[in-house]
Amino acid sequence: MKQEKEHLTSEESLEIITRMIKTAQGNVKAGAFYFLFWGWIAMIASLAHFYLDMYTDYAAPYMVWLISIPGWIVTMLYSYKKASAARVKTYSDNLIMWTWIGFGFSILVVIFAGQHINFQITPLIMLFAGLCTFITGLIIRFKPLIIGGSSFWIFAPIAFYLPIVYSPLIMAVGIVFGYLIPAYILKKHNP
Amino acid sequence: MTDFKDLDPLLHSQLRLAVMSLLVSVKSAEFVYIREKTNATAGNLSVQIDKLSTAGYIEVEKTFKGKKPLTTCKITKKGLHAFEEYVNALQQYIKK
């Protein structure tokens, strides 16, 4: 397209429009970093939580979740760095970002409302995580992530029905299917 | 032919149409990104972007990324409307 062409046929015009729109769409696949990073944090914290609660006398096993505070800081720094390096800003990236910021606010409400909801915090977080993963999968049109997000609609009710002490264990299994497996597939597709 | 809409001359040009089609699909894009995707020369792209900006079809923001100058383009409501009109006119033209 080095020479400027002023006399286009309608077919040429249509061809340019379709090609350029397709070019822009090719850039919307988000990286797998966030799902891998949070998948591993959540899985390790869940297993540690379950172990401490089940096999030790430690009074506050949920304290292992404090590990998520540096996790949030790393996430914010990483996304800021990535956004300022990006040469194009897409509507998809924006939607995904706000979906997960919304997730952050939602789980804060759930955590602080803990005693009013019988401390069923973990299954509720799983529901929100599943929904946001499902939406992200739809936005980037990536089936493994859509299926992964949907799997929380199976794991969350299981966690609700079982005694509360098993919630972190179900969470760890849910994270493997909902986050880690789709994220590794995504990474393989978009290294 | 009385209802035939003339194709917007500002859009009916290879590079300007490519720039507009690209910007329709994204929130904003840097000059370098547009140049890469359209395969245009920097000089030619600058001229065409100026034309689109003067017409109010796109918004051009000039800032700095570190010490490097950074030009970011974004489609305006007027530009989006013109693009839609252009596509509609094109469809009518093809139907005939």
Side-chain angles (χ1 to χ4, degrees):
Chain A
M1 215 176 288
K2 289 194 168 67
Q3 294 278 306
E4 183 61 7
K5 196 175 169 189
E6 297 285 345
H7 300 287
L8 295 169
T9 65
S10 44
E11 284 77 15
E12 282 172 327
S13 288
L14 268 183
E15 192 270 325
I16 292 172
I17 295 170
T18 351
R19 182 160 42 86
M20 294 319 287
I21 289 176
K22 267 196 192 140
T23 303
Q25 278 174 346
N27 285 289
V28 299
K29 292 239 170 185
F33 168 80
Y34 300 104
F35 285 104
L36 288 174
F37 181 69
W38 280 103
W40 282 105
I41 287 184
M43 201 178 75
I44 291 165
S46 298
L47 291 176
H49 185 176
F50 178 70
Y51 175 80
L52 291 174
D53 206 4
M54 196 77 173
Y55 302 105
T56 70
D57 294 328
Y58 184 53
Y62 49 82
M63 292 299 270
V64 295
W65 286 99
L66 288 176
I67 191 182
S68 60
I69 295 172
W72 284 112
I73 296 170
V74 170
T75 303
M76 282 189 266
L77 289 176
Y78 179 85
S79 57
Y80 177 76
K81 211 177 141 193
K82 220 178 156 208
S84 40
R87 289 176 306 154
V88 60
K89 288 190 171 60
T90 61
Y91 292 106
S92 318
D93 288 343
N94 206 40
L95 275 176
I96 293 170
M97 181 187 81
W98 285 106
T99 301
W100 288 99
I101 289 175
F103 168 77
F105 284 120
S106 304
I107 64 168
L108 276 181
V109 171
V110 170
I111 291 166
F112 286 105
Q115 55 177 332
H116 302 284
I117 51 169
N118 254 342
F119 293 102
Q120 292 283 9
I121 295 171
T122 310
L124 279 172
I125 290 178
M126 286 167 79
L127 274 183
F128 282 118
L131 181 61
C132 295
T133 306
F134 179 72
I135 293 171
T136 305
L138 287 175
I139 295 172
I140 68 169
R141 296 191 203 102
F142 190 65
K143 228 180 212 165
L145 215 47
I146 300 174
I147 298 168
S150 312
S151 74
F152 284 99
W153 286 314
I154 297 165
F155 293 116
I158 294 175
F160 275 123
Y161 287 120
L162 288 177
I164 204 162
V165 69
Y166 290 103
S167 279
L169 189 63
I170 307 294
M171 170 88 137
V173 179
I175 288 291
V176 172
F177 286 95
Y179 273 39
L180 292 175
I181 295 176
Y184 278 112
I185 302 174
L186 184 64
K187 198 181 168 191
K188 210 176 148 198
H189 281 240
N190 305 276
Chain B
M1 293 290 273
T2 45
D3 63 344
F4 177 74
K5 289 177 187 169
D6 274 331
L7 292 170
D8 185 341
L10 210 58
L11 293 179
H12 199 58
S13 113
Q14 201 170 12
L15 186 50
R16 289 195 297 269
L17 184 60
V19 172
M20 289 294 283
S21 307
L22 198 61
L23 291 179
V24 154
S25 342
V26 300
K27 218 173 157 225
S28 66
E30 288 177 15
F31 183 85
V32 184
Y33 175 86
I34 303 173
R35 202 187 65 197
E36 234 170 59
K37 298 294 174 190
T38 54
N39 279 328
T41 59
N44 191 10
L45 184 60
S46 272
V47 173
Q48 306 312 328
I49 279 179
D50 273 349
K51 281 187 190 173
L52 290 171
S53 165
T54 311
Y57 284 7
I58 64 171
E59 222 176 79
V60 180
E61 199 188 63
K62 291 189 186 211
T63 49
F64 283 90
K65 196 181 208 169
K67 281 181 180 171
K68 283 185 183 168
L70 177 72
T71 308
T72 312
C73 303
K74 200 172 150 180
I75 200 160
T76 61
K77 269 188 188 164
K78 191 181 172 191
L80 195 63
H81 183 71
F83 186 80
E84 282 168 358
E85 290 279 299
Y86 179 82
V87 173
N88 286 341
L90 206 61
Q91 277 170 344
Q92 283 188 26
Y93 192 68
I94 286 168
K95 273 183 206 160
K96 280 171 200 283

